[in-house]
Amino acid sequence: MDESSRNDDMKLELRLAPPGAEQQQQHWGLINGIRTTTKRDESSVLSLGYFPHATITTKGSPSSTTTSSSQAAALPLHNNADKKVFSPSSANTAVPNTSQKRTAPGPVVGWPPIRSFRKNLANSSSSSKPPPPPPEHHNKDYGGGGGKGMFVKINMDGVPIGRKVDLNAYDSYENLSNAVDQLFRGLLAAQRDSSGGGVNKLQEEEKVITGLLDGSGEYTLVYEDNEGDRMLVGDVPWHMFVSTVKRLRVLKSSELSAFTQLLVLFSVGGKQEKDAT
Amino acid sequence: MTHSGSSLPDLPNCTSTAAPMSEIRSPPPDRVLEIVLENVLHFLTCRRDRNAASLVCRSWCRAEALTRSDLFIGNCYAVSPHRATSRFRRVRSLTVKGKPRFADFDLLPLNWGAHFSPWGSALADAYPWLEKLHLKRMSLTDDDLNLIARSFPSFKELVLVCCEGFGIAGIAAVAANCRLLRVLDLVESVVEDADEDEEVMDWISCFPDGETHLESLVFECVECPVNFEALERLVARSPYLKKLRLNHYVSIPQLYRLMHRAPQLTHLGTGSFCASDDVAVGDQELDYSSAFAACKSLVCLSGFRDILPDYLPAIYPACANLTSLNLSYADVNADQLKPVILQCHKLQTLWVLDSICDEGLQAVAATCKDLRELRVFPGNTREEAEGPVSEVGLEVISQGCRKLQSILFFCQRMTNAAVIAMSKNCPDLVVFRLCIIGRYRPDPETHEPMDDGFGAIVMNCKKLTRLAVSGLLTDQAFRYIGMYGKLLRTLSVAFAGDSDQGLKYVLEGCPNLQKLEIRDSPFGDAALHSGLHHFYNMRFLWMSTCKLTRQGCQEIARALPHLALEVIDSQEDKADDHIEILYMYRSLDRPRNDAPKCVTILQ
């Protein structure tokens, strides 16, 4: 028993390799063929959430080979190297007729595998959450206050099912904008796909929804206030916004009235001019 | 039941002897054995045993079918409602599961299917005595709930997990009409509330007056305010209520009142665990811990949806008896957790956010020696170099919680050493799910793939039935799984492997595999082909963003006629043959006709 368990340990602690290859480094070295000697950065290649493939061109065996020698895949970093070489096959996980673009770094549909309500929770919480400000309660309550949640409905063009956001979870327009991106990115991609002939494919990274506040993106964030007026999000100080907002909408920027589009651009353009001069 | 003294089935003219009650005729001889069998089979409760019994012979199959009262349908499309209700005539409790799990992560188009309606109408016809209905990942409408509410006078139990498509009106119908209702559990379901301009329906008031039979009321996922006065009255007139899980619209002072009304509670979901707006913290503070002291039977606590950590000490009186604690919605750090966890000696189940850090996990390991299930959820889902929990936390848990059976662990970094340690320290592991959020991430210390760690898990944890892998993985990892994962039933793979060989190892090596979900991995047609001998034994196979072609799938479909291969693609005309998603499952009936346009079913 001891012998076999020790053998097991050995098997586990030493890298298993084809017979004859004693040291793991040699093993990987043999089939790698590609090793760089650049110095290793302090920071991990994988920080900033960049898709590692973005920085690596695929070399070595083509994806069609399946022999073990093509296991240039997933190689460990050599101690002196920081460049990882991944198997072409793993870089080819996208459908081949799309280019092997790993353009936008950042999150992918459905990753990490947690449900969307946890995701929203996750990204809006921080270890030093400020105490919630007493908000105006918009929800129809029956006696007694509800929890501190200040939920307003938010709908997005092109997505039939609306959602709700808890404005108390954010303290700035930027955080709200990020949250809206998180909320709808996946739904939008799914919606495009289910309608068929969509531009985006399910396995591509979802398009990050940016430029919600400054008119630069495909979508713009607007809201309806307590007087029923539609306003651009971002015009008034945050706490004032929170106290007057009734519901949110994410509209296609192209569908904003020409006048509104000008308004948005002017409010951003002004700042840009200032920076330029 | 009387019968002639002889039990020989081949007596030609079997007339009854003088029976004490002349109106009871003896059953025909060929039915005698069946009736005896039926009486015996009543004692079989496990469905796997029943399945085995039904295979003995036709007579046993019939008898078993007549005596099965709990019917479990693992895939709503594997069998038509008609077929199920025709075979099993006396079902009192039904479980149906619909969408594959990856639907939870937005990988399936919204209108994919799993509609309850066809089941609803079949059930209403076939089982008017139906008492229990458990649905998971099904799409059901208010009309469906109305049908349920009105079709089954003995209805006692409704459990909806990860379902969607219905709203408050449907719930209200159930509350109002199911007079014998004992269990109404809405878990992680999307409940669509009314339009903003309409009044939110007060479903709590729809429960009939008088004493209720309610034992369990779970509505954490219902995103609507509730009528608190009505809720309080409901709780007060529900003496059998043991499980109560509130949504976050219930504040802590309201919780206080409810707990004093229901001191017999065993399972409590605390709602927001936060003061309402008009009461500032510290103002007229109620002694919340008295409520927890009053509920002496509490064993399970959850909720804490909007928790102010200042209130956490209120639960101290309950800690010593707690076997289950879910803080996974609560952003608490290690210092806030410790005073709580250090009192939870009996804890068996713990769900937390990684905000507790490795330090918090250390405290858990030090105290919770009886821990069976641990889930650590991520507070931040971006792929980053470091996170609050790591291999340090995993290793510490493995050293302190030797009885661990199930773990789900999200982290940004993990080492093979820590995973190997867990495989040795926790031999009872049945479920091992590790999610390293950074894709393709190797061991940060050795820079090797994570093959050895997962290899150790399958090798050392001999009871393992469920595994989810992550990090940088080569085909070697799958070789280990195929070699040692003999009891494996569920396997989840993402962004892993090098070649077809990886999947081949698994399909050839794991005889008990039932559920296989793979995404973004380089496995193609040849790999899929290697599983032909096994696919009829599986509940489903999911492969998305792999290297499958339509041609390859078509060949499988031709080879196995009872397999439904759903190819889900967003584009119709494509230059090449590659597909985005394959969802494949065995099915006794013709392909479904309720699929959206983007789904093609190969057969």
Side-chain angles (χ1 to χ4, degrees), chain B residues 514-534:
Chain B
Q514 288 176 15
K515 300 187 249 181
L516 182 56
E517 33 186 49
I518 303 175
R519 62 166 296 180
D520 292 273
S521 300
F523 306 133
D525 297 334
L528 191 63
H529 206 266
S530 66
L532 275 178
H533 65 289
H534 188 61

Side-chain angles (χ1 to χ4, degrees), chain A residues 19-255:
Chain A
E22 286 146 9
Q23 287 178 23
Q24 65 187 42
Q25 289 171 359
Q26 251 179 21
H27 165 67
W28 292 117
L30 275 171
I31 64 178
N32 180 349
I34 300 156
R35 234 182 317 154
T36 65
T37 51
T38 54
K39 270 202 221 138
R40 185 157 64 141
D41 280 350
E42 288 309 301
S43 60
S44 155
V45 172
L46 289 174
S47 63
L48 306 177
Y50 273 73
F51 225 139
H53 301 110
T55 60
I56 311 286
T57 53
T58 55
K59 302 180 200 169
S61 41
S63 55
S64 51
T65 59
T66 53
T67 58
S68 58
S69 62
S70 75
Q71 276 178 13
L75 297 179
L77 282 175
H78 190 247
N79 280 338
N80 298 330
D82 75 334
K83 266 239 168 97
K84 251 190 299 276
V85 178
F86 292 90
S87 114
S89 54
S90 55
N92 278 346
T93 48
V95 171
N97 73 341
T98 62
S99 57
Q100 286 174 23
K101 56 185 167 86
R102 298 288 184 211
T103 49
V108 153
V109 184
W111 187 262
I114 60 172
R115 292 195 235 279
S116 50
F117 62 80
R118 283 202 183 275
K119 232 177 191 168
N120 298 337
L121 203 77
N123 292 321
S124 63
S125 76
S126 57
S127 50
S128 52
K129 207 174 10 183
E136 213 181 274
H137 230 283
H138 293 273
N139 297 298
K140 306 170 208 40
D141 274 298
Y142 302 86
K148 72 164 174 67
M150 201 208 134
F151 283 81
V152 292
K153 255 197 159 168
I154 177 165
N155 287 81
M156 182 168 191
D157 275 354
V159 181
I161 299 178
R163 287 288 185 267
K164 278 189 164 178
V165 279
D166 176 6
L167 290 180
N168 281 347
Y170 316 108
D171 54 7
S172 72
Y173 288 117
E174 204 196 311
N175 286 344
L176 175 63
S177 175
N178 287 337
V180 170
D181 166 43
Q182 290 283 333
L183 256 183
F184 282 110
R185 201 192 299 155
L187 290 175
L188 198 61
Q191 196 59 26
R192 279 183 183 146
D193 300 323
S194 66
S195 59
V199 173
N200 288 337
K201 294 183 190 195
L202 278 172
Q203 82 281 10
E204 281 185 357
E205 282 114 48
E206 299 155 310
K207 266 165 71 167
V208 179
I209 304 172
T210 55
L212 283 167
L213 302 172
D214 60 8
S216 67
E218 196 184 330
Y219 292 90
T220 300
L221 192 58
V222 302
Y223 72 104
E224 282 164 21
D225 68 5
N226 50 7
E227 288 168 9
D229 297 328
R230 181 171 284 190
M231 318 267 279
L232 290 167
V233 167
D235 280 347
V236 301
W238 174 258
H239 64 270
M240 203 183 293
F241 161 72
V242 163
S243 62
T244 57
V245 62
K246 278 287 190 186
R247 82 186 281 166
L248 288 160
R249 282 192 200 281
V250 185
L251 300 181
K252 275 203 131 90
S253 303
S254 52
E255 272 162 36

Side-chain angles (χ1 to χ4, degrees), chain B residues 208-229:
Chain B
D209 291 329
E211 201 175 86
T212 75
H213 300 268
L214 277 178
E215 293 171 15
S216 175
L217 181 62
V218 173
F219 61 95
E220 278 175 320
C221 60
V222 176
E223 283 291 330
C224 286
V226 288
N227 178 343
F228 178 72
E229 275 73 36

Side-chain angles (χ1 to χ4, degrees), chain B residues 295-502:
Chain B
C295 293
K296 298 187 197 301
S297 314
L298 272 182
V299 291
C300 174
L301 272 184
S302 59
F304 308 105
R305 293 282 178 148
D306 302 311
I307 187 177
L308 272 182
D310 297 341
Y311 286 126
L312 202 49
I315 75 170
Y316 288 168
C319 288
N321 285 326
L322 279 188
T323 55
S324 171
L325 178 60
N326 181 353
L327 285 170
S328 64
Y329 293 99
D331 192 357
V332 294
N333 61 31
D335 288 329
Q336 290 157 345
L337 177 77
K338 279 188 202 173
V340 171
I341 211 75
L342 290 175
Q343 301 183 54
C344 296
H345 297 274
K346 287 194 191 167
L347 210 59
Q348 293 184 9
T349 301
L350 177 64
W351 291 23
V352 283
L353 265 187
D354 63 4
S355 55
I356 64 166
C357 301
D358 286 334
E359 197 186 329
L361 290 173
Q362 202 159 33
V364 172
T367 318
C368 306
K369 296 305 180 185
D370 214 15
L371 200 67
R372 311 292 164 103
E373 177 179 328
L374 175 67
R375 296 196 191 190
V376 180
F377 292 96
N380 171 10
T381 55
R382 290 186 290 275
E383 299 181 37
E384 310 214 322
E386 302 285 332
V389 296
S390 69
E391 70 273 9
V392 172
L394 190 78
E395 186 145 4
V396 153
I397 288 285
S398 80
Q399 280 161 9
C401 306
R402 299 297 176 112
K403 297 190 193 170
L404 204 61
Q405 292 171 2
S406 170
I407 183 162
L408 170 63
F409 196 87
F410 285 86
C411 56
Q412 298 283 358
R413 56 173 280 152
M414 185 53 56
T415 61
N416 281 305
V419 178
I420 293 170
M422 176 158 270
S423 78
K424 294 181 183 167
N425 292 334
C426 304
D428 290 339
L429 276 177
V430 173
V431 174
F432 185 80
R433 299 159 70 191
L434 175 63
C435 181
I436 304 168
I437 295 174
R439 289 160 292 164
Y440 307 104
R441 198 163 284 182
D443 183 323
E445 306 267 304
T446 64
H447 309 297
E448 288 173 30
M450 295 301 295
D451 299 341
D452 286 350
F454 287 103
I457 291 286
V458 284
M459 199 190 298
N460 296 331
C461 302
K462 313 238 190 274
K463 305 179 190 174
L464 198 76
T465 60
R466 183 172 181 181
L467 179 67
V469 298
S470 60
L472 187 62
L473 294 170
T474 73
D475 285 347
Q476 180 68 348
F478 298 101
R479 183 164 161 259
Y480 286 137
I481 293 173
M483 260 201 309
Y484 300 106
K486 297 305 178 188
L487 293 185
L488 213 56
R489 294 208 294 260
T490 307
L491 179 63
S492 290
V493 177
F495 305 100
D498 307 321
S499 71
D500 283 346
Q501 188 57 58

Side-chain angles (χ1 to χ4, degrees), chain A residues 5-26:
Chain A
S5 60
R6 226 183 307 134
N7 273 339
D8 282 349
D9 286 355
M10 280 171 64
K11 274 185 204 157
L12 290 173
E13 276 148 31
L14 291 180
R15 282 294 285 114
L16 280 180
E22 286 146 9
Q23 287 178 23
Q24 65 187 42
Q25 289 171 359
Q26 251 179 21

